[in-house]
Amino acid sequence: MPHRIPPLTTGHHLQLLQGSVEFFPALIEAIDSSETDVQMETYIFDFTGTGADVAYALERAARRGVEVHVVADGVGTPEGPGSWAHRLQQAGVQWRTFSPVGSVLGLLWPGQWRRLHRKLCVVDGNVGFCGGINILDDFHDPNHGTLEAPRFDFAVRVTGPLVTQMRETLQRQWQRLRITSELRHVHLTGALESLRTVGLRRKPARVRGAGRSRAALLLRDNLRNRSRIERAYLRAIGRARHEIVIANAYFVPGGKLRRALMQAAGRGVRVCLLLQGRYEYFMQYYAARPVFGALLRAGVEIHEYSPSFLHAKVAVVDGRWATVGSSNLDPLSLLLAREANVVVEDHVFATSLRQRLVDAMEQQGSRMQADDYEQRPAVQRAKEWLAMVVMRIALAFQGKKYL
């Protein structure tokens, strides 16, 4: 059945990468070693600072004859490559924009919140990357400028059978965008040919460096995979016996997830949430807070991270199950956007991720107290109410209900 969680398979080697400071060098090394193709999807592609280093690597690869495909979201990267457009085109980099909006009013149109939010890259079919990190310098924010501390986020480098699934996912999306473009420009013959090739697989690449980790790729879209990521979270939370640690940038969980977390705390599981403590966007910041009261009363620990923007979408359960990906636990990710998470069952990997989250909570986080939460000012409560109402109205306009 399409909505079932795919089984974890063996034979993977995984490397946890924190921030662009670890992710970009690994990504650039893979691109610089590419021989046949580089396929990338990202929500934001920003050419400031070290983001440009990734662009240079893509340019180098294309100039030596590697087939390079890049897809960026039309909201996350509304201007496209900007001044880089001619340079990348001349090098041979093929760039497509997913669902361009055109104007702010265009976002009000039903379906326009169904964004491409996943961050995937596959090189030569041998190595893949998945996570929450955009092509965006750790110390730069498009809306807030220079950051005093690096953004807190994670990605994972993968070798093994999972890379084939990642590659096929990227190929399907590229072909669909190609068909859309050809139909828009009335190139019917090309569109029919592209349609014929959708679903056709390239010859599988030889997988190198296979390891022992068990892993699965979880996709969320609006067709066959509408609830896989949420189901995986619910299953892991429901099976937890000792500890659940979740770091999530935009945390507005629906009723099922809230109840699962509270039930886990009720049966003696330590539940720790590391959440955004620094104001970034009005709706995401204030709409999250109304759910905190019930969680705190149930014994859930909430730690707010404020040295910089928390952008992670990761979790560790019982020191063995872990997930790293692009999916927030909010309605945009769980109901509308295209997302990708890697789920891992590996004690060493999970322990490494858990330690980084615990360090962030203990050294850079501030634990929320139930009494302080209940005594928050009336002005803040009004902002929370307004944010929640606006979010529900916006979702209703997109044909979705989030309870």
Side-chain angles (χ1 to χ4, degrees), residues 113 250-254 258 281-291 328-333 335-336 383-403:
W113 282 19
Y250 309 130
F251 183 79
V252 191
R258 291 200 305 272
Y281 302 114
F282 177 83
M283 281 215 312
Q284 287 92 334
Y285 184 83
Y286 285 109
R289 276 151 171 71
V291 307
N328 290 296
L329 298 179
D330 76 341
L332 296 181
S333 282
L335 295 179
L336 294 165
K383 291 179 179 179
E384 294 169 2
W385 176 84
L386 178 61
M388 184 61 73
V389 169
V390 170
M391 178 172 285
R392 290 185 184 278
I393 291 173
L395 287 170
F397 198 72
Q398 298 293 320
K400 297 293 183 180
K401 184 183 292 187
Y402 197 59
L403 301 174

mmCIF file of all heavy atoms in Angstrom, residues 113 250-254 258 281-291 328-333 335-336 383-403:
data_model
loop_
_atom_site.group_PDB
_atom_site.id
_atom_site.type_symbol
_atom_site.label_atom_id
_atom_site.label_comp_id
_atom_site.label_asym_id
_atom_site.label_seq_id
_atom_site.Cartn_x
_atom_site.Cartn_y
_atom_site.Cartn_z
ATOM 1 N N TRP A 113 0.814 26.532 -1.892
ATOM 2 C CA TRP A 113 1.631 26.231 -0.722
ATOM 3 C C TRP A 113 2.243 24.836 -0.805
ATOM 4 O O TRP A 113 2.930 24.414 0.114
ATOM 5 C CB TRP A 113 0.793 26.355 0.552
ATOM 6 C CG TRP A 113 0.588 27.778 0.987
ATOM 7 C CD1 TRP A 113 0.736 28.913 0.235
ATOM 8 C CD2 TRP A 113 0.195 28.220 2.279
ATOM 9 N NE1 TRP A 113 0.463 30.029 0.966
ATOM 10 C CE2 TRP A 113 0.121 29.636 2.230
ATOM 11 C CE3 TRP A 113 -0.111 27.574 3.470
ATOM 12 C CZ2 TRP A 113 -0.240 30.393 3.340
ATOM 13 C CZ3 TRP A 113 -0.472 28.325 4.562
ATOM 14 C CH2 TRP A 113 -0.530 29.725 4.504
ATOM 15 N N TYR A 250 10.064 24.348 13.026
ATOM 16 C CA TYR A 250 8.703 24.906 13.032
ATOM 17 C C TYR A 250 7.775 23.834 13.559
ATOM 18 O O TYR A 250 7.333 22.956 12.831
ATOM 19 C CB TYR A 250 8.314 25.356 11.617
ATOM 20 C CG TYR A 250 9.353 26.263 10.988
ATOM 21 C CD1 TYR A 250 9.833 26.025 9.712
ATOM 22 C CD2 TYR A 250 9.861 27.351 11.689
ATOM 23 C CE1 TYR A 250 10.803 26.842 9.146
ATOM 24 C CE2 TYR A 250 10.825 28.174 11.138
ATOM 25 C CZ TYR A 250 11.299 27.910 9.863
ATOM 26 O OH TYR A 250 12.265 28.713 9.317
ATOM 27 N N PHE A 251 7.498 23.901 14.848
ATOM 28 C CA PHE A 251 6.836 22.821 15.581
ATOM 29 C C PHE A 251 5.401 23.225 15.887
ATOM 30 O O PHE A 251 5.133 23.967 16.823
ATOM 31 C CB PHE A 251 7.616 22.546 16.873
ATOM 32 C CG PHE A 251 7.086 21.413 17.698
ATOM 33 C CD1 PHE A 251 7.352 20.098 17.361
ATOM 34 C CD2 PHE A 251 6.320 21.670 18.829
ATOM 35 C CE1 PHE A 251 6.874 19.046 18.145
ATOM 36 C CE2 PHE A 251 5.832 20.636 19.612
ATOM 37 C CZ PHE A 251 6.113 19.321 19.270
ATOM 38 N N VAL A 252 4.482 22.770 15.045
ATOM 39 C CA VAL A 252 3.050 22.983 15.284
ATOM 40 C C VAL A 252 2.368 21.631 15.041
ATOM 41 O O VAL A 252 1.701 21.422 14.030
ATOM 42 C CB VAL A 252 2.458 24.061 14.353
ATOM 43 C CG1 VAL A 252 1.039 24.439 14.810
ATOM 44 C CG2 VAL A 252 3.331 25.298 14.318
ATOM 45 N N PRO A 253 2.544 20.682 15.955
ATOM 46 C CA PRO A 253 2.061 19.317 15.714
ATOM 47 C C PRO A 253 0.547 19.231 15.772
ATOM 48 O O PRO A 253 -0.103 19.927 16.551
ATOM 49 C CB PRO A 253 2.708 18.517 16.842
ATOM 50 C CG PRO A 253 2.853 19.510 17.956
ATOM 51 C CD PRO A 253 3.180 20.823 17.271
ATOM 52 N N GLY A 254 0.004 18.349 14.961
ATOM 53 C CA GLY A 254 -1.424 18.069 15.010
ATOM 54 C C GLY A 254 -1.771 17.231 16.226
ATOM 55 O O GLY A 254 -0.901 16.826 17.006
ATOM 56 N N ARG A 258 0.667 15.329 19.109
ATOM 57 C CA ARG A 258 0.639 15.852 20.483
ATOM 58 C C ARG A 258 0.252 14.749 21.468
ATOM 59 O O ARG A 258 0.891 14.585 22.506
ATOM 60 C CB ARG A 258 -0.360 17.018 20.589
ATOM 61 C CG ARG A 258 0.062 18.266 19.847
ATOM 62 C CD ARG A 258 -0.675 19.495 20.376
ATOM 63 N NE ARG A 258 -2.127 19.354 20.339
ATOM 64 C CZ ARG A 258 -2.882 19.679 19.302
ATOM 65 N NH1 ARG A 258 -2.320 20.121 18.187
ATOM 66 N NH2 ARG A 258 -4.193 19.566 19.355
ATOM 67 N N TYR A 281 9.737 34.005 11.936
ATOM 68 C CA TYR A 281 8.528 34.337 11.173
ATOM 69 C C TYR A 281 7.338 34.371 12.138
ATOM 70 O O TYR A 281 7.235 33.534 13.040
ATOM 71 C CB TYR A 281 8.259 33.306 10.086
ATOM 72 C CG TYR A 281 9.393 33.156 9.098
ATOM 73 C CD1 TYR A 281 10.115 31.970 9.030
ATOM 74 C CD2 TYR A 281 9.748 34.196 8.240
ATOM 75 C CE1 TYR A 281 11.155 31.816 8.140
ATOM 76 C CE2 TYR A 281 10.786 34.051 7.341
ATOM 77 C CZ TYR A 281 11.486 32.860 7.293
ATOM 78 O OH TYR A 281 12.528 32.724 6.410
ATOM 79 N N PHE A 282 6.445 35.306 11.928
ATOM 80 C CA PHE A 282 5.332 35.512 12.862
ATOM 81 C C PHE A 282 4.493 34.248 13.052
ATOM 82 O O PHE A 282 4.278 33.800 14.184
ATOM 83 C CB PHE A 282 4.431 36.653 12.361
ATOM 84 C CG PHE A 282 3.227 36.893 13.229
ATOM 85 C CD1 PHE A 282 3.324 37.668 14.370
ATOM 86 C CD2 PHE A 282 1.999 36.319 12.912
ATOM 87 C CE1 PHE A 282 2.211 37.874 15.193
ATOM 88 C CE2 PHE A 282 0.892 36.521 13.717
ATOM 89 C CZ PHE A 282 0.996 37.301 14.866
ATOM 90 N N MET A 283 4.010 33.659 11.937
ATOM 91 C CA MET A 283 3.083 32.530 12.073
ATOM 92 C C MET A 283 3.749 31.330 12.721
ATOM 93 O O MET A 283 3.194 30.714 13.633
ATOM 94 C CB MET A 283 2.506 32.137 10.707
ATOM 95 C CG MET A 283 1.386 33.045 10.254
ATOM 96 S SD MET A 283 0.077 32.214 9.337
ATOM 97 C CE MET A 283 0.948 31.240 8.151
ATOM 98 N N GLN A 284 4.962 30.972 12.241
ATOM 99 C CA GLN A 284 5.609 29.788 12.791
ATOM 100 C C GLN A 284 5.984 29.967 14.254
ATOM 101 O O GLN A 284 5.886 29.025 15.051
ATOM 102 C CB GLN A 284 6.866 29.432 11.976
ATOM 103 C CG GLN A 284 6.558 28.841 10.612
ATOM 104 C CD GLN A 284 6.501 29.919 9.550
ATOM 105 O OE1 GLN A 284 6.208 31.077 9.848
ATOM 106 N NE2 GLN A 284 6.781 29.551 8.310
ATOM 107 N N TYR A 285 6.392 31.182 14.624
ATOM 108 C CA TYR A 285 6.832 31.414 15.999
ATOM 109 C C TYR A 285 5.653 31.400 16.965
ATOM 110 O O TYR A 285 5.675 30.714 17.988
ATOM 111 C CB TYR A 285 7.571 32.750 16.082
ATOM 112 C CG TYR A 285 8.148 33.054 17.449
ATOM 113 C CD1 TYR A 285 9.379 32.528 17.826
ATOM 114 C CD2 TYR A 285 7.472 33.870 18.360
ATOM 115 C CE1 TYR A 285 9.918 32.802 19.086
ATOM 116 C CE2 TYR A 285 7.997 34.146 19.604
ATOM 117 C CZ TYR A 285 9.225 33.606 19.964
ATOM 118 O OH TYR A 285 9.743 33.873 21.203
ATOM 119 N N TYR A 286 4.613 32.156 16.639
ATOM 120 C CA TYR A 286 3.510 32.286 17.592
ATOM 121 C C TYR A 286 2.482 31.168 17.487
ATOM 122 O O TYR A 286 1.854 30.809 18.493
ATOM 123 C CB TYR A 286 2.836 33.649 17.419
ATOM 124 C CG TYR A 286 3.654 34.780 17.992
ATOM 125 C CD1 TYR A 286 4.283 35.708 17.159
ATOM 126 C CD2 TYR A 286 3.815 34.924 19.366
ATOM 127 C CE1 TYR A 286 5.040 36.751 17.680
ATOM 128 C CE2 TYR A 286 4.578 35.953 19.898
ATOM 129 C CZ TYR A 286 5.188 36.858 19.047
ATOM 130 O OH TYR A 286 5.960 37.875 19.576
ATOM 131 N N ALA A 287 2.300 30.585 16.318
ATOM 132 C CA ALA A 287 1.301 29.512 16.197
ATOM 133 C C ALA A 287 1.732 28.258 16.935
ATOM 134 O O ALA A 287 0.892 27.409 17.277
ATOM 135 C CB ALA A 287 1.057 29.192 14.720
ATOM 136 N N ALA A 288 3.030 28.109 17.191
ATOM 137 C CA ALA A 288 3.521 26.932 17.910
ATOM 138 C C ALA A 288 3.159 26.973 19.390
ATOM 139 O O ALA A 288 2.916 25.934 20.012
ATOM 140 C CB ALA A 288 5.038 26.831 17.757
ATOM 141 N N ARG A 289 3.113 28.172 19.954
ATOM 142 C CA ARG A 289 3.057 28.278 21.402
ATOM 143 C C ARG A 289 1.762 27.842 22.083
ATOM 144 O O ARG A 289 1.808 27.395 23.233
ATOM 145 C CB ARG A 289 3.445 29.703 21.814
ATOM 146 C CG ARG A 289 4.953 29.823 21.884
ATOM 147 C CD ARG A 289 5.557 31.134 21.622
ATOM 148 N NE ARG A 289 6.980 31.097 21.953
ATOM 149 C CZ ARG A 289 7.898 30.436 21.251
ATOM 150 N NH1 ARG A 289 7.554 29.768 20.175
ATOM 151 N NH2 ARG A 289 9.175 30.416 21.624
ATOM 152 N N PRO A 290 0.614 27.932 21.459
ATOM 153 C CA PRO A 290 -0.593 27.462 22.147
ATOM 154 C C PRO A 290 -0.579 25.991 22.542
ATOM 155 O O PRO A 290 -1.287 25.602 23.476
ATOM 156 C CB PRO A 290 -1.705 27.740 21.116
ATOM 157 C CG PRO A 290 -1.196 28.896 20.333
ATOM 158 C CD PRO A 290 0.280 28.660 20.218
ATOM 159 N N VAL A 291 0.228 25.159 21.861
ATOM 160 C CA VAL A 291 0.239 23.727 22.186
ATOM 161 C C VAL A 291 1.208 23.415 23.321
ATOM 162 O O VAL A 291 1.214 22.291 23.840
ATOM 163 C CB VAL A 291 0.599 22.877 20.950
ATOM 164 C CG1 VAL A 291 -0.299 23.225 19.779
ATOM 165 C CG2 VAL A 291 2.054 23.032 20.560
ATOM 166 N N ASN A 328 9.462 19.483 8.782
ATOM 167 C CA ASN A 328 9.068 20.012 10.077
ATOM 168 C C ASN A 328 7.854 19.249 10.585
ATOM 169 O O ASN A 328 7.180 18.530 9.834
ATOM 170 C CB ASN A 328 8.713 21.495 9.957
ATOM 171 C CG ASN A 328 9.922 22.359 9.691
ATOM 172 O OD1 ASN A 328 10.819 22.448 10.523
ATOM 173 N ND2 ASN A 328 9.969 22.996 8.531
ATOM 174 N N LEU A 329 7.549 19.414 11.857
ATOM 175 C CA LEU A 329 6.325 18.843 12.419
ATOM 176 C C LEU A 329 5.295 19.960 12.501
ATOM 177 O O LEU A 329 4.885 20.404 13.566
ATOM 178 C CB LEU A 329 6.620 18.223 13.791
ATOM 179 C CG LEU A 329 7.632 17.073 13.750
ATOM 180 C CD1 LEU A 329 7.879 16.525 15.140
ATOM 181 C CD2 LEU A 329 7.170 15.961 12.809
ATOM 182 N N ASP A 330 4.886 20.420 11.322
ATOM 183 C CA ASP A 330 3.900 21.489 11.214
ATOM 184 C C ASP A 330 3.032 21.217 9.985
ATOM 185 O O ASP A 330 3.332 20.322 9.178
ATOM 186 C CB ASP A 330 4.588 22.855 11.142
ATOM 187 C CG ASP A 330 5.211 23.156 9.780
ATOM 188 O OD1 ASP A 330 5.433 22.211 8.992
ATOM 189 O OD2 ASP A 330 5.472 24.340 9.504
ATOM 190 N N PRO A 331 1.932 21.929 9.823
ATOM 191 C CA PRO A 331 1.015 21.613 8.721
ATOM 192 C C PRO A 331 1.601 21.820 7.337
ATOM 193 O O PRO A 331 1.223 21.125 6.396
ATOM 194 C CB PRO A 331 -0.187 22.535 8.970
ATOM 195 C CG PRO A 331 0.312 23.602 9.884
ATOM 196 C CD PRO A 331 1.361 22.955 10.717
ATOM 197 N N LEU A 332 2.518 22.776 7.167
ATOM 198 C CA LEU A 332 3.088 22.977 5.837
ATOM 199 C C LEU A 332 3.851 21.750 5.389
ATOM 200 O O LEU A 332 3.734 21.302 4.239
ATOM 201 C CB LEU A 332 3.999 24.208 5.837
ATOM 202 C CG LEU A 332 3.327 25.551 6.111
ATOM 203 C CD1 LEU A 332 4.351 26.672 6.041
ATOM 204 C CD2 LEU A 332 2.206 25.812 5.120
ATOM 205 N N SER A 333 4.650 21.169 6.285
ATOM 206 C CA SER A 333 5.434 19.988 5.943
ATOM 207 C C SER A 333 4.572 18.731 5.886
ATOM 208 O O SER A 333 4.734 17.900 4.989
ATOM 209 C CB SER A 333 6.569 19.784 6.948
ATOM 210 O OG SER A 333 7.646 20.666 6.699
ATOM 211 N N LEU A 335 1.266 18.347 5.532
ATOM 212 C CA LEU A 335 0.062 18.325 4.702
ATOM 213 C C LEU A 335 0.275 18.811 3.275
ATOM 214 O O LEU A 335 -0.528 18.492 2.398
ATOM 215 C CB LEU A 335 -1.041 19.193 5.331
ATOM 216 C CG LEU A 335 -1.600 18.749 6.675
ATOM 217 C CD1 LEU A 335 -2.652 19.745 7.144
ATOM 218 C CD2 LEU A 335 -2.202 17.357 6.585
ATOM 219 N N LEU A 336 1.334 19.577 3.030
ATOM 220 C CA LEU A 336 1.410 20.267 1.748
ATOM 221 C C LEU A 336 2.725 20.065 0.986
ATOM 222 O O LEU A 336 2.713 19.857 -0.222
ATOM 223 C CB LEU A 336 1.179 21.773 1.962
ATOM 224 C CG LEU A 336 -0.221 22.159 2.432
ATOM 225 C CD1 LEU A 336 -0.238 23.591 2.961
ATOM 226 C CD2 LEU A 336 -1.227 22.018 1.307
ATOM 227 N N LYS A 383 -1.140 37.462 20.237
ATOM 228 C CA LYS A 383 -0.383 37.159 19.024
ATOM 229 C C LYS A 383 -0.468 35.668 18.689
ATOM 230 O O LYS A 383 -0.581 35.283 17.518
ATOM 231 C CB LYS A 383 1.075 37.576 19.191
ATOM 232 C CG LYS A 383 1.285 39.081 19.236
ATOM 233 C CD LYS A 383 2.751 39.422 19.426
ATOM 234 C CE LYS A 383 2.978 40.931 19.457
ATOM 235 N NZ LYS A 383 4.411 41.263 19.680
ATOM 236 N N GLU A 384 -0.434 34.830 19.709
ATOM 237 C CA GLU A 384 -0.554 33.387 19.487
ATOM 238 C C GLU A 384 -1.917 33.041 18.894
ATOM 239 O O GLU A 384 -2.011 32.249 17.950
ATOM 240 C CB GLU A 384 -0.354 32.645 20.811
ATOM 241 C CG GLU A 384 1.053 32.764 21.375
ATOM 242 C CD GLU A 384 1.143 32.256 22.800
ATOM 243 O OE1 GLU A 384 0.109 31.765 23.336
ATOM 244 O OE2 GLU A 384 2.235 32.330 23.398
ATOM 245 N N TRP A 385 -2.952 33.644 19.457
ATOM 246 C CA TRP A 385 -4.309 33.382 18.950
ATOM 247 C C TRP A 385 -4.426 33.839 17.505
ATOM 248 O O TRP A 385 -4.975 33.124 16.655
ATOM 249 C CB TRP A 385 -5.321 34.118 19.834
ATOM 250 C CG TRP A 385 -6.745 33.989 19.352
ATOM 251 C CD1 TRP A 385 -7.616 32.969 19.609
ATOM 252 C CD2 TRP A 385 -7.439 34.911 18.498
ATOM 253 N NE1 TRP A 385 -8.818 33.200 18.976
ATOM 254 C CE2 TRP A 385 -8.745 34.372 18.289
ATOM 255 C CE3 TRP A 385 -7.111 36.123 17.906
ATOM 256 C CZ2 TRP A 385 -9.690 35.011 17.510
ATOM 257 C CZ3 TRP A 385 -8.057 36.767 17.126
ATOM 258 C CH2 TRP A 385 -9.323 36.216 16.924
ATOM 259 N N LEU A 386 -3.909 35.030 17.215
ATOM 260 C CA LEU A 386 -3.983 35.558 15.859
ATOM 261 C C LEU A 386 -3.219 34.665 14.883
ATOM 262 O O LEU A 386 -3.717 34.356 13.788
ATOM 263 C CB LEU A 386 -3.407 36.977 15.825
ATOM 264 C CG LEU A 386 -3.362 37.650 14.437
ATOM 265 C CD1 LEU A 386 -4.760 37.789 13.859
ATOM 266 C CD2 LEU A 386 -2.665 39.008 14.541
ATOM 267 N N ALA A 387 -2.019 34.226 15.271
ATOM 268 C CA ALA A 387 -1.214 33.380 14.387
ATOM 269 C C ALA A 387 -1.928 32.061 14.100
ATOM 270 O O ALA A 387 -1.928 31.582 12.956
ATOM 271 C CB ALA A 387 0.147 33.117 15.020
ATOM 272 N N MET A 388 -2.536 31.481 15.120
ATOM 273 C CA MET A 388 -3.236 30.215 14.917
ATOM 274 C C MET A 388 -4.447 30.392 14.007
ATOM 275 O O MET A 388 -4.704 29.561 13.118
ATOM 276 C CB MET A 388 -3.660 29.629 16.273
ATOM 277 C CG MET A 388 -4.313 28.256 16.165
ATOM 278 S SD MET A 388 -3.240 26.990 15.443
ATOM 279 C CE MET A 388 -2.094 26.726 16.815
ATOM 280 N N VAL A 389 -5.203 31.465 14.207
ATOM 281 C CA VAL A 389 -6.376 31.715 13.368
ATOM 282 C C VAL A 389 -5.960 31.928 11.914
ATOM 283 O O VAL A 389 -6.555 31.362 10.992
ATOM 284 C CB VAL A 389 -7.168 32.939 13.894
ATOM 285 C CG1 VAL A 389 -8.216 33.371 12.870
ATOM 286 C CG2 VAL A 389 -7.829 32.605 15.223
ATOM 287 N N VAL A 390 -4.931 32.743 11.709
ATOM 288 C CA VAL A 390 -4.458 33.003 10.353
ATOM 289 C C VAL A 390 -3.986 31.714 9.694
ATOM 290 O O VAL A 390 -4.275 31.455 8.514
ATOM 291 C CB VAL A 390 -3.322 34.051 10.366
ATOM 292 C CG1 VAL A 390 -2.667 34.155 8.996
ATOM 293 C CG2 VAL A 390 -3.866 35.407 10.795
ATOM 294 N N MET A 391 -3.270 30.877 10.440
ATOM 295 C CA MET A 391 -2.788 29.623 9.878
ATOM 296 C C MET A 391 -3.949 28.712 9.483
ATOM 297 O O MET A 391 -3.948 28.119 8.403
ATOM 298 C CB MET A 391 -1.878 28.904 10.879
ATOM 299 C CG MET A 391 -1.375 27.549 10.377
ATOM 300 S SD MET A 391 -0.119 26.811 11.437
ATOM 301 C CE MET A 391 1.308 27.823 11.009
ATOM 302 N N ARG A 392 -4.964 28.616 10.330
ATOM 303 C CA ARG A 392 -6.099 27.749 10.016
ATOM 304 C C ARG A 392 -6.872 28.270 8.798
ATOM 305 O O ARG A 392 -7.303 27.479 7.956
ATOM 306 C CB ARG A 392 -7.019 27.635 11.226
ATOM 307 C CG ARG A 392 -6.414 26.837 12.378
ATOM 308 C CD ARG A 392 -7.409 26.652 13.513
ATOM 309 N NE ARG A 392 -6.821 25.978 14.648
ATOM 310 C CZ ARG A 392 -6.670 24.665 14.758
ATOM 311 N NH1 ARG A 392 -7.073 23.879 13.779
ATOM 312 N NH2 ARG A 392 -6.119 24.136 15.837
ATOM 313 N N ILE A 393 -7.035 29.581 8.701
ATOM 314 C CA ILE A 393 -7.741 30.155 7.547
ATOM 315 C C ILE A 393 -6.948 29.903 6.270
ATOM 316 O O ILE A 393 -7.500 29.514 5.238
ATOM 317 C CB ILE A 393 -7.971 31.666 7.753
ATOM 318 C CG1 ILE A 393 -8.985 31.889 8.881
ATOM 319 C CG2 ILE A 393 -8.454 32.320 6.458
ATOM 320 C CD1 ILE A 393 -9.149 33.349 9.267
ATOM 321 N N ALA A 394 -5.633 30.114 6.352
ATOM 322 C CA ALA A 394 -4.786 29.905 5.176
ATOM 323 C C ALA A 394 -4.824 28.451 4.731
ATOM 324 O O ALA A 394 -4.895 28.146 3.534
ATOM 325 C CB ALA A 394 -3.355 30.344 5.481
ATOM 326 N N LEU A 395 -4.786 27.526 5.692
ATOM 327 C CA LEU A 395 -4.844 26.108 5.351
ATOM 328 C C LEU A 395 -6.198 25.748 4.749
ATOM 329 O O LEU A 395 -6.277 24.961 3.793
ATOM 330 C CB LEU A 395 -4.576 25.253 6.597
ATOM 331 C CG LEU A 395 -3.121 25.228 7.077
ATOM 332 C CD1 LEU A 395 -3.038 24.552 8.440
ATOM 333 C CD2 LEU A 395 -2.236 24.491 6.076
ATOM 334 N N ALA A 396 -7.263 26.314 5.299
ATOM 335 C CA ALA A 396 -8.593 26.051 4.751
ATOM 336 C C ALA A 396 -8.685 26.520 3.302
ATOM 337 O O ALA A 396 -9.307 25.869 2.458
ATOM 338 C CB ALA A 396 -9.657 26.741 5.608
ATOM 339 N N PHE A 397 -8.035 27.652 3.004
ATOM 340 C CA PHE A 397 -8.031 28.165 1.635
ATOM 341 C C PHE A 397 -7.266 27.240 0.697
ATOM 342 O O PHE A 397 -7.541 27.193 -0.497
ATOM 343 C CB PHE A 397 -7.417 29.567 1.612
ATOM 344 C CG PHE A 397 -7.741 30.351 0.380
ATOM 345 C CD1 PHE A 397 -9.024 30.844 0.182
ATOM 346 C CD2 PHE A 397 -6.792 30.582 -0.604
ATOM 347 C CE1 PHE A 397 -9.340 31.577 -0.964
ATOM 348 C CE2 PHE A 397 -7.079 31.300 -1.738
ATOM 349 C CZ PHE A 397 -8.371 31.798 -1.928
ATOM 350 N N GLN A 398 -6.316 26.501 1.272
ATOM 351 C CA GLN A 398 -5.563 25.519 0.486
ATOM 352 C C GLN A 398 -6.245 24.147 0.486
ATOM 353 O O GLN A 398 -5.699 23.173 -0.026
ATOM 354 C CB GLN A 398 -4.132 25.366 1.054
ATOM 355 C CG GLN A 398 -3.317 26.631 0.983
ATOM 356 C CD GLN A 398 -2.992 27.067 -0.442
ATOM 357 O OE1 GLN A 398 -2.691 26.238 -1.291
ATOM 358 N NE2 GLN A 398 -3.069 28.364 -0.698
ATOM 359 N N GLY A 399 -7.438 24.076 1.089
ATOM 360 C CA GLY A 399 -8.197 22.840 1.087
ATOM 361 C C GLY A 399 -7.770 21.856 2.161
ATOM 362 O O GLY A 399 -8.004 20.651 2.030
ATOM 363 N N LYS A 400 -7.130 22.334 3.259
ATOM 364 C CA LYS A 400 -6.629 21.444 4.302
ATOM 365 C C LYS A 400 -7.164 21.852 5.668
ATOM 366 O O LYS A 400 -7.442 23.028 5.923
ATOM 367 C CB LYS A 400 -5.101 21.471 4.343
ATOM 368 C CG LYS A 400 -4.431 20.960 3.072
ATOM 369 C CD LYS A 400 -4.657 19.477 2.860
ATOM 370 C CE LYS A 400 -3.937 18.975 1.631
ATOM 371 N NZ LYS A 400 -4.144 17.535 1.419
ATOM 372 N N LYS A 401 -7.322 20.855 6.537
ATOM 373 C CA LYS A 401 -7.731 21.092 7.919
ATOM 374 C C LYS A 401 -6.692 20.436 8.807
ATOM 375 O O LYS A 401 -6.239 19.328 8.546
ATOM 376 C CB LYS A 401 -9.103 20.468 8.183
ATOM 377 C CG LYS A 401 -9.651 20.742 9.580
ATOM 378 C CD LYS A 401 -10.974 20.045 9.785
ATOM 379 C CE LYS A 401 -12.060 20.655 8.924
ATOM 380 N NZ LYS A 401 -13.396 20.080 9.234
ATOM 381 N N TYR A 402 -6.281 21.133 9.856
ATOM 382 C CA TYR A 402 -5.215 20.623 10.746
ATOM 383 C C TYR A 402 -5.708 20.697 12.169
ATOM 384 O O TYR A 402 -5.899 21.786 12.715
ATOM 385 C CB TYR A 402 -3.958 21.487 10.557
ATOM 386 C CG TYR A 402 -2.684 20.843 11.086
ATOM 387 C CD1 TYR A 402 -2.252 19.615 10.587
ATOM 388 C CD2 TYR A 402 -1.911 21.481 12.040
ATOM 389 C CE1 TYR A 402 -1.074 19.047 11.030
ATOM 390 C CE2 TYR A 402 -0.718 20.926 12.490
ATOM 391 C CZ TYR A 402 -0.308 19.708 11.980
ATOM 392 O OH TYR A 402 0.864 19.164 12.410
ATOM 393 N N LEU A 403 -5.919 19.550 12.756
ATOM 394 C CA LEU A 403 -6.462 19.482 14.121
ATOM 395 C C LEU A 403 -5.456 18.828 15.052
ATOM 396 O O LEU A 403 -4.667 18.003 14.634
ATOM 397 C CB LEU A 403 -7.769 18.690 14.132
ATOM 398 C CG LEU A 403 -8.896 19.245 13.244
ATOM 399 C CD1 LEU A 403 -10.068 18.281 13.252
ATOM 400 C CD2 LEU A 403 -9.325 20.616 13.743
#
